[in-house]
Structures are given as structure tokens and as C-alpha cells.
């Protein structure tokens, strides 16, 4: 007895569903787990965990912060690059900030929780903080001395080309001092909360200032990686931290530099990417060789 066509089609679809469920839902995942147990691959399958005396302290593939309970850098450790993944190095929130070169104006609200920093101000504040921590020049072009974006909203009589009637430093509020007192003869005002000076007709005018063209604080010290999880810093960022770490640990700076070199990886395949220093592995090596005093 032949089954009705519609029933035969449904049974064929059910058989296909069961076959592919077994193949792709059970056999394939189990095969990948088995491959992950092969010696040499098992560590990577488990997240490339780094352990000290049997206790996992992190991953060689995911960065982490070396800060105290208040979020301040611990001076005896090399510091990682900033992270935009959640609250920092959160593997469940690996996404970029979506801020780009045109993000130069902060949102300043009366309620601090509603305020947001532009990418420019984030870079400026981080550069200033790194400069103070490591005793180097933290100045950058288009940054104010107090660590925000040096940006003016310039108002003109006829919108674009008339005489200047008003100038506001859009990223500075009281009690700050305007980074320039006057702009083309017009006194510079501080920004007021809950004002959108661009919407009100101000022309956004970044001011370069007198910072060196090549900042002492490298770019990876002030910007997050695309994933926010990068465990590496550049050799240039490691170099400006050597003196501080050596001083805090009572070690010879030359010896600390040798450890940095030992934990520096080269370019992939010899030509892709840039050399990097794995911060976690470097700090663990420091703890072993030069324990904190």
C-alpha cells in the first residue's frame, strides 16, 4: 500500500531532520571536542589559561587589568591597553565603541550618568593619566592641559563667514579654565550642561595646540583594540613603563627590559601585524623574578 504523497514527503523530511540532528548536533560537536583533547591543542581549547601553582590567573589570549579596588593602576605592574569590552576585557561584550575621528564633542549633562565622553576626550584623558603615571610628556595634539578635547564651538553673525559673536570650549565646564582665553579677539566661555552647541549653530573647531607631532605616549596606550580583548601592548608602550616597574620592584631597568624582550612576539609569518608584549605573562615573570617589596 502506497502512502499518500503528502505523508511520504513529511516522513522523508522527518528522516532528514533526524539524520542531520545526529550528524551536526551530536557527532560534529563531539568530534571537535575530541580534536580539542589532542596533546598540544588541549590548552588552546580550554582558553589558553595561564596557571600559577595550579591556579588559573588568566588567559594568554585575553587581556586583563592590573588595577586596585578603586580602579587605579598598580605601579609595580605593566599596564594593559584600554578595553572597550563591557567593563573591561569582558569576553561576552567583545565589540568596538563605534566612535570614530569625528567624535570630538562630549555630551555634558547635569546628571553625570547621562554624560558621555567623545573619543577625542577619552584619548586625551588617557594620555594625560599615562604621562603622570610613567613620568613622560602626556600632551597630544588637539588636547587641553586638563585632559579633554581642545574643541571650540564658534558662532558667527551669519552662520558661516560673518564676524565671530561667541566662542565656547565645548568639552570644558566650571571650575576649569578655558584652554584659550580668546579666539580671534572674542573671549572663550566654558560649556554649560545640557547644551548642544552644534545644534545651536556653533561651528566645531578643533585646536591643535603646541603638543609635539609625535606624542611620547603611544597610540595603543590611549585606544582600545577592535575586540577590546587584546592581551598585548606595543614595545613602545612597554618601554615607557620600564622605569616605573623597575623602581617599584627595586630591580635594574636593564634586567626588566630583558624580560620585556623575552615576552615580545614578532610579526605573524614575519610580515603581518606588529610586535607585541604579552602583559600577563610579563607581569607573572616579574612576580617570580622580582617579587614586590
Amino acid at each position: 500500500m502506497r502512502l499518500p504523497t503528502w505523508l511520504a514527503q513529511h516522513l522523508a523530511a522527518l528522516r532528514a531532520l533526524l539524520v542531520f540532528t545526529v550528524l551536526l548536533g551530536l557527532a560534529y560537536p563531539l568530534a571537535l571536542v575530541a580534536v580539542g583533547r589532542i596533546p598540544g591543542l588541549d590548552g588552546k581549547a580550554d582558553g589558553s589559561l595561564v596557571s600559577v601553582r595550579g591556579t588559573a590567573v588568566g588567559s594568554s589570549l585575553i587581556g586583563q587589568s592590573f588595577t586596585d579596588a578603586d580602579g587605579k593602576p598598580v605601579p609595580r605592574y605593566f599596564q594593559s591597553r584600554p578595553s572597550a569590552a563591557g567593563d573591561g576585557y569582558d569576553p561576552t561584550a567583545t565589540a568596538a565603541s563605534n566612535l570614530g575621528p569625528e567624535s570630538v564633542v562630549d555630551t555634558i549633562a547635569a546628571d553625570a550618568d547621562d554624560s558621555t565622553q567623545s573619543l577625542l576626550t577619552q584619548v586625551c584623558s588617557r594620555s594625560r593619566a599615562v604621562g603622570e603615571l610613567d613620568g613622560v610628556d602626556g600632551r597630544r595634539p588637539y588636547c587641553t592641559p586638563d585632559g579633554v578635547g581642545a574643541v571650540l564651538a564658534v558662532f558667527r553673525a551669519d552662520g558661516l563667514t560673518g564676524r565671530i559673536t561667541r566662542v565656547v570650549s565645548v568639552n570644558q565646564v566650571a571650575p576649569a579654565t578655558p584652554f584659550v582665553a580668546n579666539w580671534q579677539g572674542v573671549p572663550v566661555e566654558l560649556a554649560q550642561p545640557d547644551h548642544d552647541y552644534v545644534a545651536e549653530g556653533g561651528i566645531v573647531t578643533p585646536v591643535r595646540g603646541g603638543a609635539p607631532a609625535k606624542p611620547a605616549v603611544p597610540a595603543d596606550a590611549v585606544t582600545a583594540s577592535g575586540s577590546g580583548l587584546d592581551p598585548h601592548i606595543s614595545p613602545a608602550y612597554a618601554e615607557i613603563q620600564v622605569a616605573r616597574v623597575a623602581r617599584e620592584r627595586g630591580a635594574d631597568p636593564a634586567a626588566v627590559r630583558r624580560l620585556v624582550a623575552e615576552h615580545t612576539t614578532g610579526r605573524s609569518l614575519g610580515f603581518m601585524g606588529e610586535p607585541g608584549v604579552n602583559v600577563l605573562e610579563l607581569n607573572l615573570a616579574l612576580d617570580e623574578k622580582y617579587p614586590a617589596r
Side-chain angles (χ1 to χ4, degrees), residues 76-229:
R76 68 179 180 273
Y77 287 118
F78 280 85
Q79 296 299 305
S80 305
R81 72 180 299 175
S83 172
D87 293 329
Y89 300 104
D90 181 356
T92 66
T94 55
S97 65
N98 293 325
L99 300 178
E102 294 184 359
S103 177
V104 298
V105 178
D106 299 351
T107 299
I108 301 174
D111 185 346
D113 292 337
D114 295 328
S115 299
T116 58
Q117 289 185 333
S118 63
L119 177 61
L120 177 59
T121 287
Q122 291 180 33
V123 168
C124 294
S125 61
R126 290 166 180 165
S127 189
R128 182 171 183 263
V130 170
E132 292 177 348
L133 178 65
D134 292 310
V136 297
D137 186 353
R139 294 179 300 157
R140 302 186 87 81
Y142 303 104
C143 294
T144 68
D146 53 350
V148 299
V151 180
L152 301 175
V154 179
F155 293 83
R156 294 181 178 272
D158 65 353
L160 294 176
T161 60
R163 64 181 179 83
I164 297 176
T165 59
R166 186 186 182 197
V167 182
V168 180
S169 178
V170 294
N171 295 332
Q172 291 183 295
V173 295
T177 300
F179 66 94
V180 287
N182 296 275
W183 185 255
Q184 298 185 21
V186 178
V188 176
E189 308 171 20
L190 293 172
Q192 297 295 321
D194 298 321
H195 278 260
D196 187 341
Y197 292 101
V198 177
E200 293 172 13
I203 301 171
V204 175
T205 307
V207 180
R208 188 194 183 287
K214 184 177 181 180
V217 179
D220 65 302
V222 297
T223 55
S225 63
S227 67
L229 302 181

Side-chain angles (χ1 to χ4, degrees), residues 239-255:
E239 174 59 30
I240 68 173
Q241 301 186 62
V242 166
R244 164 177 52 83
V245 173
R247 181 180 65 250
E248 292 291 324
R249 292 178 179 269
D252 180 1

